[in-house]
Amino acid sequence: MDTLIMVGQLLLGLSILVGLHELGHLLTAKMFGMRVEKFSIGFPPKIAGFQWGETEYSIGAIPLGGFVKISGMVDESMDTEQLSTEPQPWEFRSKPAWQRLIVMLGGIIVNVITGIIIFVILVYNNGETYFSRDQIIENGIVAYEYGESIGFQTGDKILDVNGQPYQSLNELSSGSVLLSENGYYTVDRNGEQVKIEIPRGFINSFNSEEAFAKFVSIRFPFEILDVAPGEAAETAGLEEGDKILAVNGQQVYYFDELQSVLADLKTQEAQLLIESDGVRDTVSVPVSAEGTIGIAANPLIEPVKRQFGFAEALSKGTERAFGVVIINAKALGKMFTGEVSAKNVSGPIGMAKIYGNSWDWGKFWSITGLISMILAFMNLLPIPALDGGHVMFLLYEMVSGRAPSDKFLENAQKVGMVILLVLMVFAIGNDILKIFTGG
């Protein structure tokens, strides 16, 4: 069932984005009087379709893309028979270069608009919820595996990133921070300022959603939220709302302090100083071999919650949408230098895992908006067979006044298809490798 949910979300998200992308090409082509022969979501073989006017609309069996076939255009169908005849007024090749350019940019523009709309709506409806810089400076952080590997210590208070104040905990592991040149954090460690540099290629550690939980989090004071039935804490009489003040005489204020002390007392008895309804008492609780006593913690600090008016949401959502493009452009550039590993490239399996195995509409639209912006960016790359390849040739024609020959465009299309096929095989190979290696 988990796999079905992941696949279902991926197919729905891709169908929406591919359909809108191809619709952008179709509408702009028809706007300039070009004949659109086919509109397909998914690649052949066709599993369903209908004819409306001059255009056949269909759904293909391979849901990893789509296409629009415009008369008189060299495209992925490689149908060049009509190019041997005289150009007709309704054909792509008969139209001015600026019109053809708009048609090729139509899908990209629609994907950008879609991404912006999704992010704006999410910001407007949900606002922001985060632990702030002030809260981190007041309480400090808990450093986990990845955080410790670059020099963080539990209790550090992060003052700034790259010499600039930050707003929220999430920013500390954002793509813009991890991809920054000569990036660093400044922390207050027991009253002394310490500079922690971000190692080259550190972003490669964050290759899954679970990886972010291995970096840092905020320290928090706590009370007992829940007691597991039949576990040691319940047997000892601990209840929801109780506070644990000390263990074996050692004061604990933050939950990570309790976890650390219990980890040192595995299979031993722990004397807990408890405060319940203002009354203090000491109880003896056996600690499991895993260093637990069977409680869940309720953090006693509240995250900051912000709501935005429409104008603010429009600005914030647009900023987030284009932030995705900027981060991906930086990552692609650093991939060529070797700083970002090509192993981070994901195919459909990786995309499905990002959606996750539970259906959360908020998360679904957030990821779909993210993918929409990434699709726009990837399609703009100057690779033949992608929209960006056509744009590159059209710009050459507009600047030089000479259009590339149909034969050149046909051969370029073939090269581009090979490049895309290799990239797809590589991405799917990465997905499969991650499954077997647990990445």
Side-chain angles (χ1 to χ4, degrees):
M1 180 58 72
D2 289 350
T3 301
L4 288 177
I5 292 174
M6 285 192 291
V7 172
Q9 291 186 90
L10 174 65
L11 293 182
L12 178 59
L14 283 182
S15 296
I16 292 171
L17 297 179
V18 169
L20 290 172
H21 178 92
E22 301 304 337
L23 183 64
H25 291 310
L26 180 142
L27 293 177
T28 49
K30 287 181 175 291
M31 181 175 69
F32 294 122
M34 301 177 193
R35 180 175 293 173
V36 179
E37 299 174 15
K38 294 182 180 180
F39 173 95
S40 177
I41 300 176
F43 295 120
K46 182 178 74 173
I47 58 177
F50 62 91
Q51 186 80 26
W52 186 18
E54 65 188 18
T55 308
E56 178 190 13
Y57 298 85
S58 62
I59 297 177
I62 304 175
L64 297 178
F67 63 91
V68 166
K69 179 166 175 48
I70 304 172
S71 296
M73 175 183 171
V74 180
D75 57 16
E76 58 270 14
S77 70
M78 300 309 296
D79 180 9
T80 59
E81 181 179 344
Q82 59 186 306
L83 300 181
S84 61
T85 62
E86 287 297 316
Q88 300 299 314
W90 61 80
E91 290 186 337
F92 179 85
R93 57 180 172 158
S94 299
K95 303 299 180 178
W98 68 270
Q99 292 185 2
R100 286 178 278 142
L101 179 64
I102 291 175
V103 171
M104 296 319 305
L105 290 173
I108 295 172
I109 292 170
V110 169
N111 277 142
V112 170
I113 293 172
T114 300
I116 291 173
I117 290 173
I118 290 173
F119 280 111
V120 168
I121 292 174
L122 288 174
V123 171
Y124 182 75
N125 286 341
N126 303 333
E128 288 184 333
T129 301
Y130 57 88
F131 289 109
S132 69
R133 174 178 181 270
D134 289 342
Q135 290 174 311
I136 293 171
I137 291 176
E138 178 182 353
N139 296 281
I141 61 160
V142 181
Y144 300 114
E145 177 185 350
Y146 294 162
E148 290 178 338
S149 71
I150 66 171
F152 279 121
Q153 295 180 11
T154 294
D156 285 349
K157 299 178 179 182
I158 303 176
L159 304 176
D160 58 51
V161 181
N162 297 333
Q164 299 296 323
Y166 59 96
Q167 183 183 52
S168 71
L169 177 67
N170 293 336
E171 287 182 44
L172 301 178
S173 55
S174 68
S176 58
V177 169
L178 298 178
L179 287 168
S180 56
E181 292 291 336
N182 302 314
Y184 66 93
Y185 304 94
T186 304
V187 306
D188 178 339
R189 181 176 296 164
N190 300 320
E192 179 184 354
Q193 285 198 8
V194 178
K195 181 178 178 180
I196 297 176
E197 296 182 352
I198 302 174
R200 187 176 184 273
F202 184 54
I203 194 172
N204 294 315
S205 302
F206 297 83
N207 56 3
S208 68
E209 191 171 345
E210 295 77 15
F212 290 89
K214 298 179 181 180
F215 188 43
V216 299
S217 67
I218 190 171
R219 300 186 95 182
F220 57 86
F222 70 101
E223 64 183 16
I224 295 176
L225 173 65
D226 193 22
V227 179
E231 296 291 333
E234 183 187 53
T235 304
L238 274 64
E239 299 179 345
E240 178 184 348
D242 289 353
K243 295 181 180 179
I244 300 175
L245 306 179
V247 180
N248 289 358
Q250 181 177 341
Q251 181 179 350
V252 293
Y253 181 70
Y254 296 109
F255 185 60
D256 67 274
E257 291 178 317
L258 173 67
Q259 292 176 307
S260 178
V261 173
L262 293 179
D264 293 334
L265 295 173
K266 294 177 181 178
T267 70
Q268 301 179 45
E269 290 284 326
Q271 303 299 314
L272 307 185
L273 176 61
I274 305 296
E275 182 176 279
S276 179
D277 296 326
V279 178
R280 296 187 176 189
D281 191 16
T282 300
V283 297
S284 180
V285 182
V287 182
S288 73
E290 291 75 33
T292 62
I293 57 175
I295 63 169
N298 178 34
L300 294 179
I301 55 174
E302 291 289 334
V304 175
K305 296 181 180 180
R306 294 182 61 194
Q307 292 298 131
F308 299 95
F310 180 74
E312 290 178 302
L314 182 61
S315 173
K316 193 80 173 178
T318 302
E319 179 186 339
R320 286 188 182 180
F322 282 103
V324 172
V325 176
I326 293 170
I327 289 171
N328 276 273
K330 285 184 178 179
L332 183 63
K334 289 180 180 289
M335 199 172 291
F336 286 108
T337 67
E339 184 173 340
V340 174
S341 173
K343 294 180 181 179
N344 292 320
V345 175
S346 294
I349 299 173
M351 292 169 65
K353 290 177 70 175
I354 293 173
Y355 274 108
N357 56 15
S358 62
W359 203 295
D360 180 324
W361 281 110
K363 183 179 179 182
F364 170 83
W365 285 114
S366 178
I367 294 170
T368 301
L370 178 78
I371 294 175
S372 188
M373 298 303 296
I374 293 174
L375 283 177
F377 169 70
M378 297 301 292
N379 265 291
L380 195 55
L381 294 177
I383 299 174
L386 289 179
D387 295 340
H390 292 284
V391 168
M392 175 178 62
F393 295 136
L394 284 166
L395 290 175
Y396 168 80
E397 178 182 344
M398 294 171 71
V399 172
S400 68
R402 299 189 303 274
S405 68
D406 291 338
K407 190 64 177 176
F408 173 84
L409 293 176
E410 180 183 345
N411 290 331
Q413 190 76 16
K414 292 176 181 178
V415 171
M417 293 295 290
V418 171
I419 293 173
L420 294 183
L421 180 61
V422 170
L423 289 175
M424 180 58 72
V425 170
F426 178 76
I428 294 175
N430 269 349
D431 287 346
I432 295 172
L433 183 64
K434 289 174 185 177
I435 292 174
F436 285 106
T437 59

